Amino acid sequence: MQSFQNRTVHRTVLNNGMVVLLVENPAADIIASRIFVRAGSRCEPRHQAGLAHLLAAVLTKGTSRLSSLEIAEQVESVGASLGADATPDYFLLSLKTVSSDFAQMLDLAGQLLRAPTFPEAEVELEQCLTLQGIRSQQEQPFAIAFEQLRQAMYPDHPYAFSSLGTEATVSQLTCDDLHHYHQTYFRPDNVVISLAGRIAPEYALELISEVFGDWQAPATPLPALVLPVPNPKPQQIVTPLQTQQSIVMLGYLAPSVRCAETTEAPENSSEPLNFPTTKAVSADYAALKLLNTYLGNGLSSRLFVELREKRGLAYEVSALYPTRLDTSQFAVYMGTAPDNTATALAGLRTEVERLCNVVLSDEELQAAKNKLLGQYALGKQTNAQLAQVFGWYETLGLGIEFDSSFTAAISAVTAPVAQQAACRYFSEPFISLVGPAAAVTQVPVVALS
């Protein structure tokens, strides 16, 4: 049991290895639960990209005891919400209900996790819907630009693809593939259950033990997942597309949230093999999170003010630096008029490289800290947010204490430290351009330093 920002987080590990987290919050008669499986698309073979997403789409479509219609009726009859999702680094089953119905919904979640049937008709339907989604992405300039940027940056890594997968891979997936993935990764010692709401810790553990206590982990260990550390040569990729604007993206390989790149557990470790074992956080993670906020977070960000407000170059402009278990990416992007494509590219690169050449002022640094920490605090107000945040930390191996260590790390970043991080990662960009042929094909290949 640990306390963070006036919230007590109860942590328990069941005999079968399942981790249970609980934040008791009696303010509202609602319980939110997030059930994480340490899997996601990073555990997919390359030729099965989209497998985790498809599994999420059909997980709620049938169990050994319930049909898809019966599952939907159970959820809707009590006004609850229940859904599944797959991200690059984990699989997630989410539910929210009033306190009096939580036991019923938890039992349903247990059936879905432990005994899904993946009806063939439902799988075929979701495959068709996923293929439609992929084709829709292929018509969206931003999606195309981001896809080709990822594939250039992660040539041999699962992060290269959208979570939907590709037409070629999704069309070949079978019910047997779903069952194999489920049997491999859906096991109690690979699951984190995070709860927040009006429920006593003792009662919550009693309910969870009733639903999951007899679920035993197989004797076989989780498969070792050793993924390559991306190290491709930066390049400029161009896709002509008849559209009203050009999309300009710069990408830089950036550190994961964890220090260790390897995900292989040492001999005799009790940790799953596809899961990092050290809680050490990358030294540059906090600095880059802060620079991401400074550059591209909101209407007061550097990119918005300089490139949109002052120069009128951007329809939209922003930056992103996702938290990842493996090597992440720091990206800046802009939507601009086709005639401004080359100017926009130069402007984006100038603003990123400025971080290496100019030390942030005390005022700029503090404003970025205030914005980042304020948004971080506001992201932990509801039961659903609390269940998500603490479960996510546990699933990534950061520990619930990361809630405090992250804010301390952000507060400790100095302007020289931020500049040093920028110089380490922002020297050679991957460049992705999508737009009218006359605009994007005429942009000279930028000389990479």
Side-chain angles (χ1 to χ4, degrees):
M1 181 175 69
Q2 299 188 49
S3 295
F4 299 99
Q5 298 183 354
N6 299 320
R7 296 187 179 95
T8 299
V9 183
H10 302 265
R11 183 182 186 274
T12 304
V13 181
L14 303 184
N15 291 334
N16 59 11
M18 183 179 294
V19 179
V20 180
L21 305 175
L22 172 68
V23 179
E24 189 176 2
N25 181 17
D29 188 27
I30 297 291
I31 298 176
S33 176
R34 297 291 186 269
I35 304 178
F36 295 82
V37 181
R38 297 184 183 107
S41 59
R42 69 193 288 269
C43 296
E44 299 169 346
R46 190 177 183 88
H47 68 279
Q48 292 183 334
L51 178 58
H53 173 269
L54 182 61
L55 191 149
V58 296
L59 187 77
T60 60
K61 303 301 183 182
T63 73
S64 58
R65 293 163 50 188
L66 298 170
S67 68
S68 177
L69 180 59
E70 289 170 330
I71 293 169
E73 287 176 344
Q74 276 202 29
V75 176
E76 293 173 7
S77 66
V78 296
S81 65
L82 184 147
D85 192 18
T87 76
D89 292 330
Y90 59 83
F91 185 97
L92 181 65
L93 182 65
S94 304
L95 66 92
K96 183 171 68 174
T97 183
V98 296
S99 302
S100 59
D101 297 320
F102 177 69
Q104 176 187 347
M105 287 298 100
L106 182 66
D107 181 73
L108 176 60
Q111 294 183 55
L112 295 173
L113 279 175
R114 299 177 61 175
T117 52
F118 309 127
E120 186 172 352
E122 298 285 357
V123 172
E124 291 177 355
L125 174 60
E126 293 299 336
Q127 273 181 302
C128 289
L129 294 175
T130 300
L131 291 171
Q132 290 177 13
I134 294 171
R135 292 169 188 138
S136 176
Q137 285 185 343
Q138 293 170 350
E139 298 175 355
Q140 300 168 19
F142 179 89
I144 295 171
F146 196 33
E147 181 83 3
Q148 67 184 17
L149 183 69
R150 285 196 307 265
Q151 292 191 14
M153 297 176 74
Y154 298 103
D156 300 311
H157 195 284
Y159 287 174
F161 296 112
S162 159
S163 62
L164 296 182
T166 70
E167 286 191 78
T169 60
V170 171
S171 62
Q172 297 299 315
L173 295 176
T174 67
C175 293
D176 287 342
D177 295 329
L178 296 173
H179 282 290
H180 178 73
Y181 184 96
H182 177 266
Q183 291 169 3
T184 301
Y185 295 106
F186 282 60
R187 44 190 282 171
D189 56 348
N190 203 34
V191 171
V192 175
I193 299 182
S194 181
L195 310 176
R198 185 180 292 179
I199 187 169
E202 298 80 7
Y203 181 54
L205 278 176
E206 179 183 335
L207 291 177
I208 291 171
S209 295
E210 289 177 0
V211 174
F212 296 105
D214 64 341
W215 191 16
Q216 296 303 309
T220 55
L222 281 159
L225 183 64
V226 181
L227 298 175
V229 178
N231 189 32
K233 182 179 179 180
Q235 57 183 293
Q236 183 167 311
I237 318 102
V238 176
T239 295
L241 184 70
Q242 191 57 42
T243 182
Q244 298 299 311
Q245 62 176 308
S246 293
I247 302 296
V248 181
M249 286 188 178
L250 303 182
Y252 305 83
L253 290 171
S256 72
V257 68
R258 305 293 298 273
C259 284
E261 291 291 350
T262 180
T263 56
E264 184 174 356
E267 187 177 358
N268 299 323
S269 170
S270 60
E271 295 283 353
L273 290 180
N274 64 344
F275 188 67
T277 57
T278 173
K279 291 184 178 181
V281 176
S282 167
D284 290 326
Y285 174 78
L288 292 182
K289 277 294 184 185
L290 198 59
L291 291 177
N292 176 73
T293 298
Y294 169 75
L295 264 187
N297 187 335
L299 305 183
S300 62
S301 67
R302 173 79 187 186
L303 293 180
F304 191 93
V305 171
E306 295 296 323
L307 299 182
R308 177 183 167 95
E309 295 299 291
K310 291 184 178 181
R311 299 182 62 184
L313 288 175
Y315 299 132
E316 59 176 336
V317 62
S318 191
L320 60 89
Y321 173 43
T323 298
R324 290 284 182 263
L325 273 177
D326 302 318
T327 301
S328 186
Q329 63 180 161
F330 191 107
V332 295
Y333 60 90
M334 181 193 301
T336 189
D339 290 346
N340 291 331
T341 302
T343 305
L345 173 58
L348 278 175
R349 189 167 186 186
T350 296
E351 291 299 332
V352 174
E353 294 179 353
R354 173 182 176 273
L355 298 174
C356 304
N357 302 321
V358 179
V359 178
L360 297 183
S361 68
D362 292 341
E363 293 77 13
E364 289 175 320
L365 184 67
Q366 192 59 51
K369 288 182 178 182
N370 292 344
K371 182 190 294 186
L372 178 56
L373 293 177
Q375 292 176 344
Y376 182 70
L378 290 174
K380 297 179 294 180
Q381 299 302 302
T382 68
N383 287 335
Q385 290 172 331
L386 291 171
Q388 175 71 30
V389 166
F390 288 111
W392 183 48
Y393 295 159
E394 180 72 30
T395 302
L396 295 185
L398 301 171
I400 54 180
E401 60 268 25
F402 184 72
D403 186 58
S404 297
S405 63
F406 174 70
T407 57
I410 293 296
S411 299
V413 175
T414 64
V417 165
Q419 184 184 36
Q420 291 165 11
C423 291
R424 267 191 288 274
Y425 299 102
F426 297 160
S427 59
E428 296 187 13
F430 294 79
I431 299 171
S432 176
L433 303 175
V434 174
V440 297
T441 59
Q442 298 304 312
V443 175
V445 176
V446 178
L448 299 177
S449 57

